[in-house]
Amino acid sequence: MTSKSEWQKLDLRIDPDSEERLFFSEHEWETIEAAAARIIPTDHDPGAREARVIVFIDRYLSGIDYIYAAADGSGFLQLAGAEANAARARNAVFQRMYRDGVVELDRLARQYGADDFARADEETQDSVLVELSGAPKPVHVRLDEHAVFYSRLQGNTDQGKPFFETLCLHVRQGFYSDPVYGGNKDRVGWKVIGFPGPESLKDTMDGSYTTAPYFAEKWDWSDLLLHYEPLQ
């Protein structure tokens, strides 16, 4: 097995403003974009639409050409052999999951009187996603309250998850991942959380970028936590 540094590079770039669909049909694109926009909605900050999460997901599902970006950010690595076969098998699962997922979103939307999910109002879309997820809509996280926040959607692997959890993870990835993958347009995802991201993927790979200057130092835990009681 060769290391990724020895893989061939494909001269591919992803334009986040592109409306070209490599996997989705027009209707599927509109539906998944609408769902993503309710998972990370636009409010006083940009959301999934502005970050072009739909482009990230479409390219990710289109095949195996957009899985691994080259270390210098100048293209994507070409998978071959066993790695390519395994990637194609995983991709086929996701493709079927998303196609079936769009059908299910439309079916549920029609139960609420809408023509389909993409054309439903936001309240109806939220109701559909609640029903699809089997869990209440999350409440806003408040930083002035001390409470344990847990998300059942935590994790960074998209293997073995049902459609809704897979979609949520892919939306988060498209919002926060390096822009080379097509999402996080203009680094809006990083700006929303105040993350001073690198100028390019290359900076993270060659060690020239570091977040060390942004770590809080010389603070006591009692100053950082709302309720702090040291162990006896």
Side-chain angles (χ1 to χ4, degrees):
M1 180 179 295
T2 60
S3 69
K4 290 185 177 65
S5 63
E6 299 175 16
W7 292 7
Q8 295 295 313
K9 186 175 70 175
L10 299 171
D11 187 20
L12 295 173
R13 306 288 194 282
I14 302 179
D15 176 7
D17 291 316
S18 175
E19 295 293 334
E20 180 184 10
R21 300 178 295 276
L22 300 188
F23 169 69
F24 289 128
S25 68
E26 181 177 359
H27 177 68
E28 290 168 341
W29 176 291
E30 292 175 350
T31 303
I32 296 301
E33 184 174 41
R38 299 312 304 150
I39 293 169
I40 303 183
T42 303
D43 46 27
H44 56 281
D45 287 314
R49 286 190 188 275
E50 290 79 11
R52 298 298 285 162
V53 165
I54 186 62
V55 176
F56 165 83
I57 298 177
D58 179 76
R59 274 35 175 186
Y60 182 63
L61 297 177
S62 67
I64 63 173
D65 289 342
Y66 297 99
I67 295 179
Y68 295 115
D72 61 1
S74 64
F76 284 81
L77 300 180
Q78 183 176 35
L79 279 68
E83 290 91 352
N85 292 334
R88 290 190 186 96
R90 290 193 301 269
N91 188 258
V93 172
F94 289 134
Q95 288 181 339
R96 175 47 53 195
M97 177 186 295
Y98 268 84
R99 297 221 190 276
D100 291 345
V102 169
V103 172
E104 180 65 3
L105 287 170
D106 285 342
R107 184 188 72 81
L108 292 173
R110 285 192 289 272
Q111 291 184 352
Y112 287 89
D115 293 335
D116 54 41
F117 183 86
R119 292 167 179 77
D121 58 47
E122 293 180 351
E123 183 178 355
T124 298
Q125 290 175 345
D126 286 353
S127 297
V128 168
L129 293 177
V130 165
E131 185 169 346
L132 184 67
S133 70
K137 182 178 177 179
V139 298
H140 290 286
V141 177
R142 293 179 54 122
L143 299 181
D144 60 344
E145 292 182 352
H146 184 68
V148 176
F149 176 74
Y150 171 76
S151 171
R152 63 191 178 87
L153 301 174
Q154 295 297 329
N156 57 10
T157 177
D158 53 11
Q159 303 298 301
K161 288 180 169 61
F163 171 62
F164 179 75
E165 294 187 22
T166 300
L167 174 61
C168 287
L169 177 56
H170 288 168
V171 170
R172 293 204 309 273
Q173 289 175 333
F175 194 72
Y176 296 115
S177 65
D178 193 283
V180 72
Y181 289 97
N184 194 9
K185 179 188 173 184
D186 297 329
R187 299 171 174 79
V188 297
W190 295 346
K191 292 175 183 176
V192 165
I193 61 174
F195 173 60
E199 288 300 317
S200 71
L201 185 61
K202 174 181 178 296
D203 296 340
T204 67
M205 297 300 181
D206 63 14
S208 60
Y209 178 78
T210 176
T211 58
Y214 302 96
F215 279 86
E217 298 180 0
K218 300 179 180 178
W219 287 90
D220 188 274
W221 277 109
S222 61
D223 297 321
L224 297 174
L225 300 180
L226 296 176
H227 301 285
Y228 175 72
E229 295 180 3
L231 296 176
Q232 301 299 321

